[in-house]
Amino acid sequence: MKADIHPDYHEITVVMTDGSEYKTRSTWGKEGDVMKLDIDTKSHPVWTGQHRIMDSGGQVARFNKRFAGLGVKS
């Protein structure tokens, strides 16, 4: 194996949406960093079967405001 071509592989902490956490090894961040997830298997509709709109930063409101005038005219 060639030296100095692979990224640093270290331990990080992953925090799930419900607050639970676990340690894993990754090339993301630095040793000891914390990755906070916005969507995971406990909140994503693919795994939960429940559909809900997750409005992060008003994206849905901006979309509705931007495209409010576009509709089928009768």
Side-chain angles (χ1 to χ4, degrees):
M1 197 160 76
K2 290 186 179 180
D4 300 327
I5 64 167
H6 298 285
D8 180 36
Y9 192 61
H10 48 270
E11 190 172 271
I12 65 168
T13 302
V14 178
V15 179
M16 307 290 270
T17 56
D18 68 347
S20 62
E21 56 184 56
Y22 65 93
K23 293 195 180 290
T24 187
R25 295 182 52 82
S26 174
T27 58
W28 180 85
K30 303 182 299 279
E31 177 77 29
D33 278 355
V34 176
M35 177 186 288
K36 293 184 180 180
L37 302 178
D38 292 332
I39 297 174
D40 62 14
T41 58
K42 297 177 182 182
S43 65
H44 196 280
V46 169
W47 289 282
T48 63
Q50 298 174 349
H51 294 282
R52 62 182 179 158
I53 296 175
M54 295 184 67
D55 188 9
S56 57
Q59 291 178 344
V60 173
R62 282 197 310 266
F63 177 85
N64 289 336
K65 181 180 176 185
R66 183 174 180 187
F67 296 107
L70 295 178
V72 179
K73 295 182 181 178
S74 51

